[in-house]
Amino acid sequence: QKEVEQDPGPLSVPEGAIVSLNCTYSNSAFQYFMWYRQYSRKGPELLMYTYSSGNKEDGRFTAQVDKSSKYISLFIRDSQPSDSATYLCAMSGDGWGKLQFGAGTQVVVTP
Amino acid sequence: NAGVTQTPKFQVLKTGQSMTLQCAQDMNHNSMYWYRQDPGMGLRLIYYSASEGTTDKGEVPNGYNVSRLNKREFSLRLESAAPSQTSVYFCASSPGGGGDTEAFFGQGTRLTVV
């Protein structure tokens, strides 16, 4: 069983809709929770991060962490075609680079 | 502003051949990492170097060796390539230590072993 589970999609939504992404995990030692965005044939880039539990908002993006349920979410409001990418959740117990990644969810936003 | 630079971008190897993937960062980071990305598997950590002069195994180290040449450069070597090592390889770096923050990734090396 993988430590981090993520539905690979694809997830297709119309422009302007809310995109909802989530991951579950099994390791209770995870403290750093991140969402990376990866465009086709590019490297991942950090989108949002949260330390421990709680919510974080940055523009159209909201990240939520529920450590009691071992569940993290990313919401994208007013989605745009430029948001079409693969979104990877990642987490770590002891730092920002030694990460456990989910499989990634491919998101397609159609005009 | 280069960030993390990987070479080569593409490579095709025959089974049993060896090669070295190069990675260099210009952000004065202490920590560097090698990941592989396979369909449906996400990224998996192969090796990492917390600081210059140290290296440690990650989740999937078998068949690989690494060298932290200096603070800027971290190379990944395949001594005898196998088809199972066909993957996209990403190098990353982060500040490391008590002030560790975001890890930055390179653009990847697409390796095919035939």
Side-chain angles (χ1 to χ4, degrees):
Chain A
Q1 184 184 359
K2 296 179 185 176
E3 280 195 286
V4 181
E5 297 282 354
Q6 183 178 9
D7 188 333
L11 179 63
S12 184
V13 299
E15 183 176 356
I18 294 175
V19 176
S20 176
L21 303 166
N22 58 75
C23 290
T24 59
Y25 64 95
S26 58
N27 189 343
S28 57
F30 288 149
Q31 300 184 79
Y32 299 85
F33 302 92
M34 301 157 201
W35 287 94
Y36 278 83
R37 179 174 61 194
Q38 185 176 26
Y39 291 113
S40 181
R41 296 185 174 270
K42 299 292 186 182
E45 55 179 346
L46 185 66
L47 194 60
M48 299 278 288
Y49 72 90
T50 308
Y51 177 72
S52 193
S53 284
N55 297 350
K56 189 168 186 176
E57 188 171 319
D58 184 2
R60 298 185 295 113
F61 299 89
T62 300
Q64 295 181 346
V65 175
D66 182 348
K67 290 188 73 176
S68 62
S69 300
K70 295 189 177 67
Y71 186 90
I72 71 171
S73 302
L74 177 71
F75 300 97
I76 307 173
R77 292 182 298 279
D78 188 24
S79 58
Q80 304 295 312
S82 58
D83 294 326
S84 297
T86 295
Y87 291 81
L88 300 140
C89 64
M91 44 200 82
S92 171
D94 61 351
W96 291 74
K98 290 170 55 183
L99 301 170
Q100 286 285 341
F101 280 87
T105 300
Q106 183 185 1
V107 172
V108 179
V109 181
T110 55
Chain B
N1 190 9
V4 178
T5 302
Q6 293 182 233
T7 55
K9 288 185 171 49
F10 303 92
Q11 185 71 47
V12 178
L13 287 180
K14 293 182 179 179
T15 298
Q17 286 185 320
S18 62
M19 80 161 294
T20 300
L21 282 66
Q22 306 286 355
C23 174
Q25 52 90 9
D26 62 1
M27 295 173 281
N28 200 34
H29 285 169
N30 290 302
S31 300
M32 298 185 73
Y33 314 84
W34 276 106
Y35 286 87
R36 60 178 289 173
Q37 185 174 30
D38 302 295
M41 299 290 292
L43 284 82
R44 292 179 291 168
L45 184 64
I46 305 171
Y47 270 94
Y48 67 97
S49 171
S51 61
E52 187 178 356
T54 69
T55 60
D56 283 290
K57 295 178 181 179
E59 182 184 353
V60 288
N62 291 345
Y64 305 95
N65 286 301
V66 290
S67 295
R68 184 74 183 266
L69 305 170
N70 48 56
K71 191 172 185 179
R72 290 187 64 247
E73 298 173 288
F74 188 38
S75 63
L76 179 71
R77 182 161 178 83
L78 287 70
E79 291 289 352
S80 179
S84 61
Q85 293 178 305
T86 293
S87 188
V88 182
Y89 291 86
F90 287 100
C91 178
S93 71
S94 69
D100 203 16
T101 57
E102 174 184 356
F104 293 85
F105 285 79
Q107 294 298 290
T109 295
R110 294 182 175 273
L111 175 67
T112 301
V113 182
V114 297

